Amino acid sequence: MGFAIELTDEQWRRVADLFDPPGRRGAPARIPRRQMVDAMLFLGRTGCQWRYLPARYPPWGAVWQQWCRWRANGVWERAMARLAAQVRVRHEREPIPSMVMIDAQTVKGGRYGPTFHNAGGRGGRTIGTKRTILVEILGLPLSARADPARPHDVRAGRDLLCDSLAGLPRVRAIVADRGYRGLRNLASRRNLRLDIKAPPKGQTGFRPIAPLYKVEHAFAQLGRWRRLSRCYEGSEASATAWLEVASVGYLLGRA
């Protein structure tokens, strides 16, 4: 991608049929869908407000309307899953992993007016949203979800797994830290192994836990997308979709 966020021809080829499906009904698009995707990636990467979208991109109102349609149709979610599979194939792995890791982070809300944010996180001191992601062994985000900050990590993780496992038929194990011990019932019902990782007894100070540090690395990469510096969205659907936009941008760089 260039400075202004422009997909290369190869990157666009990987996802073009999702954003601009052949045989689409209705009037021909007035604005090329590739330019729409470029604009949305720019918004996600820079944190630019809709009305300040640079003139080199389509009018912000048209981009926003298309964003709402793609958000409702789950297009970014499908692009995220496809790109993760393609990167895995490049690394000589099966497209669908047999093991996933799960973790969450709580971020502050940065919105005025109606919002889904509430108090949560450590000590209940963060008013914002809880972001939960599934990651495979290469550190690639497979699925993401945004919820109010208050619900426990297990509840948000259970909802994400229930939504995602149908599309991951090879998964046989879930790896997580001690905060996710409450997933045992779900793992048992679905014949999955729940592998809880914990620091060795007597360890002092911080030391990364393998392989869970790859989830933290994925969060760090997504955190470089400034739209995610805080949660500026008014609904869980929009907050989830921006997580997926950042994931697609990150995966395009690795595809």
Side-chain angles (χ1 to χ4, degrees):
M1 297 179 190
F3 172 77
I5 310 297
E6 292 182 352
L7 295 176
T8 66
D9 292 341
E10 172 63 18
Q11 289 172 333
W12 175 243
R13 183 187 63 79
R14 293 178 181 275
V15 295
D17 62 304
L18 295 176
F19 293 100
D20 192 13
R24 182 179 62 86
R25 295 182 178 180
R30 294 185 298 106
I31 301 172
R33 292 294 182 257
R34 182 171 175 176
Q35 292 182 20
M36 293 285 197
V37 175
D38 284 342
M40 293 175 200
L41 289 171
F42 177 86
L43 288 163
R45 183 67 174 182
T46 65
C48 172
Q49 296 181 16
W50 285 102
R51 287 172 174 79
Y52 297 125
L53 189 65
R56 65 175 296 145
Y57 295 110
W60 75 266
V63 178
W64 180 79
Q65 290 178 355
Q66 187 61 53
W67 152 260
C68 292
R69 287 191 286 268
W70 284 341
R71 178 192 63 189
N73 294 335
V75 175
W76 291 101
E77 180 183 10
R78 293 196 294 275
M80 181 179 172
R82 174 187 291 184
L83 289 168
Q86 291 176 353
V87 176
R88 284 182 56 83
V89 170
R90 282 191 57 193
H91 286 80
E92 299 181 351
R93 294 179 177 270
E94 293 291 331
I96 298 175
S98 59
M99 180 273 285
V100 294
M101 297 173 281
I102 188 169
D103 205 353
Q105 67 172 190
T106 302
V107 296
K108 292 182 178 180
R111 177 182 175 84
Y112 294 101
T115 181
F116 68 99
H117 302 154
N118 58 26
R122 182 168 296 181
R125 294 186 296 267
T126 302
I127 299 176
T129 184
K130 186 186 300 293
R131 295 170 179 161
T132 309
I133 61 173
L134 284 186
V135 173
E136 49 78 81
I137 194 62
L138 298 177
L140 308 175
L142 301 171
S143 185
R145 179 185 177 93
D147 294 279
R150 182 171 299 146
H152 193 276
D153 290 0
V154 170
R155 176 178 167 184
R158 185 187 298 118
D159 290 342
L160 178 59
L161 286 166
C162 289
D163 291 341
S164 304
L165 287 175
L168 300 168
R170 292 188 68 248
V171 169
R172 295 294 178 266
I174 303 168
V175 181
D177 62 29
R178 289 177 294 185
Y180 287 92
R181 287 173 291 187
L183 292 177
R184 285 197 177 97
N185 288 339
L186 181 146
S188 177
R189 290 196 304 271
R190 295 177 178 260
N191 296 317
L192 302 175
R193 180 169 60 89
L194 180 62
D195 187 1
I196 298 297
K197 300 293 186 181
K201 290 184 178 180
Q203 176 180 308
T204 59
F206 172 77
R207 183 176 299 175
I209 303 175
L212 289 178
Y213 66 84
K214 295 187 178 182
V215 188
E216 301 300 332
H217 179 264
F219 271 127
Q221 293 299 316
L222 297 181
R224 300 175 67 182
W225 291 68
R226 293 196 173 189
R227 185 86 185 193
L228 303 184
S229 61
R230 292 195 177 194
C231 185
Y232 298 98
E233 314 313 317
S235 68
E236 293 97 326
S238 289
T240 298
W242 280 115
L243 265 175
E244 292 165 352
V245 171
S247 298
V248 167
Y250 169 55
L251 291 167
L252 281 169
R254 296 193 58 175

